[in-house]
Amino acid sequence: MRIIAGTKRGMKLLGPKTRDSRPITDRVKQSLFDVLQNYDLLAGARVADLFCGVGSLGLEALSRGVAFVTFVEKNTEVLEVLERNISKADFSRQSRVVRASAFMVGAPVGPAGERYDLVFVDPPYASTREVGEGSSLADLLTILEG
């Protein structure tokens, strides 16, 4: 697991010792960021990375020029690894970490009421089994609309 491109290209990310986090593959991450860059959606953007795990998506975004990332993760063990990855990449000033369930807080606005240009939503697979009205994922999307 690594940062693919940008200012921190090639930097290896630390992984958790738990199986509660499943990192995104480099191939999927590359495809996602190719599209985002093609539409010029990264430069200077404010981003929320929900269910962030060790921060692979948010750190990739920072490496590619976004202005700020809010990382949301509830697992304490995974959060420790996330914070080490942020520090290792020297992105502490361009990020904040929120320890909470993204299903409960959505994409929390910043202290001055800042909203986000992009929100990454990559919940655990078990949370995506139910996607219809009234499901946790549908409720989260409703929160994000507001």
Side-chain angles (χ1 to χ4, degrees), residues 5-105:
T7 60
K8 305 297 178 180
R9 181 181 183 187
M11 187 188 105
K12 292 186 180 185
L13 297 174
L14 304 169
K17 293 183 175 152
T18 176
R19 293 219 178 255
D20 292 341
S21 177
R22 51 143 186 87
I24 191 167
T25 65
D26 283 356
R27 175 182 250 167
V28 171
K29 187 166 49 169
Q30 180 68 49
S31 296
L32 170 64
F33 280 92
D34 284 349
V35 170
L36 293 174
Q37 283 191 299
N38 187 49
Y39 287 97
D40 197 27
L41 297 174
L42 296 175
R46 294 186 60 79
V47 174
D49 186 358
L50 310 185
F51 311 99
C52 69
V54 299
S56 182
L57 289 175
L59 291 169
E60 185 74 35
L62 285 165
S63 180
R64 293 175 185 238
V66 304
F68 193 86
V69 174
T70 297
F71 295 93
V72 180
E73 175 60 51
K74 72 174 186 175
N75 183 307
T76 306
E77 191 176 333
V78 174
L79 275 169
E80 291 173 12
V81 178
L82 167 66
E83 289 172 345
R84 288 180 27 219
N85 280 331
I86 292 169
S87 179
K88 180 179 178 183
D90 196 26
F91 285 138
S92 297
R93 286 183 304 248
Q94 297 107 303
S95 63
R96 78 174 167 140
V97 175
V98 176
R99 181 179 182 246
S101 168
F103 286 121
M104 301 302 283
V105 300

